[in-house]
Amino acid sequence: MANVQEVWNKLNPRERLTAIGALVVVVAWLVGAAARGFGVGSLGLIGAIAVLVVLYLKYAPNTNISWPIAVPLITLGISAIIALFAVLTLIDYLGFLSVLSPVAVIGLALYVIGALVMAWGSWQEYQIEKPALPNLNVASTGTTPADSATPGAAPAASAPVEPAPPAQPAAPAAPPPAAEPIEPAPGEGEQRPPA
């Protein structure tokens, strides 16, 4: 439990907002489960847990993870997907809110609010950090991620390149040869009289 408290103290305010939104989504899933499954889908629960795990692993002691992309991009991507599905779920349930139990309506409201808070916190963190987007054009350029230079990295050492010899001045262009007249073959130039 002390580990969780240490990690919570290391989170900046935007990451705390993201974590609070994720915790609200988890609570909304529990409330929705108590209301016979209305309100929150399992995707919302999985996404919220994934965001919490990513934030925990970012600051956990004795953890050194080389992330494939920046953590704000990971949390923003997951949060945006969860917020999209939360809004779509709300739109889907708007038609029959009157038939849902009050517990299911509370679970649905918590799900939408938690997902939007999680996405807002992730968006603010992304705006502050402004991490570089991953290079997704590896196949088209023919380079591998190891070949591409990272910002701030020293350029890769290469073999010395010998300078090219100085270019020779181009010779003046010669005029094109004159066209030779074509002589007709014997007998072709003569016309026969009409019969």
Side-chain angles (χ1 to χ4, degrees), residues 6 11-12 19 22-24 30 34 40 57 65 84 110-111 116 124 156 178 183 187 192 195:
E6 287 176 28
L11 295 177
N12 63 43
L23 289 172
V24 170
L30 293 172
V40 180
L57 290 177
I65 297 176
L84 176 69
L110 285 174
Y111 176 40
L116 293 177
Q124 286 181 336
E183 295 180 19
R192 294 190 174 155

Side-chain angles (χ1 to χ4, degrees), residues 8-189:
W8 181 261
N9 291 335
K10 291 179 182 179
L11 295 177
N12 63 43
R14 297 165 305 280
E15 291 171 333
R16 284 186 184 174
L17 188 62
T18 302
I20 289 170
L23 289 172
V24 170
V25 170
V26 171
V27 169
W29 186 86
L30 293 172
V31 170
R36 298 185 188 170
F38 287 105
V40 180
S42 296
L43 183 66
L45 175 68
I46 292 169
I49 291 173
V51 166
L52 290 172
V53 166
V54 167
L55 289 175
Y56 177 79
L57 290 177
K58 179 180 178 184
Y59 293 109
N62 301 326
T63 304
N64 187 10
I65 297 176
S66 68
W67 299 94
I69 57 176
V71 172
L73 278 174
I74 295 171
T75 57
L76 178 63
I78 296 171
S79 300
I81 291 171
I82 301 309
L84 176 69
F85 278 103
V87 169
L88 291 176
T89 302
L90 175 67
I91 292 170
D92 191 32
Y93 283 140
L94 279 178
F96 54 96
L97 275 179
S98 60
V99 232
L100 293 176
S101 68
V103 176
V105 172
I106 291 171
L108 179 63
L110 285 174
Y111 176 40
V112 173
I113 291 169
L116 293 177
V117 166
M118 185 170 58
W120 179 248
S122 296
W123 174 252
Q124 286 181 336
E125 179 66 16
Y126 173 76
Q127 289 297 315
I128 296 293
E129 293 287 322
K130 288 288 190 188
L133 295 175
N135 183 9
L136 300 177
N137 294 331
V138 173
S140 65
T141 61
T143 60
T144 61
D147 294 339
S148 60
T150 57
S158 62
V161 178
E162 294 182 22
Q168 298 294 329
E180 297 179 17
I182 301 176
E183 295 180 19
E188 285 184 11

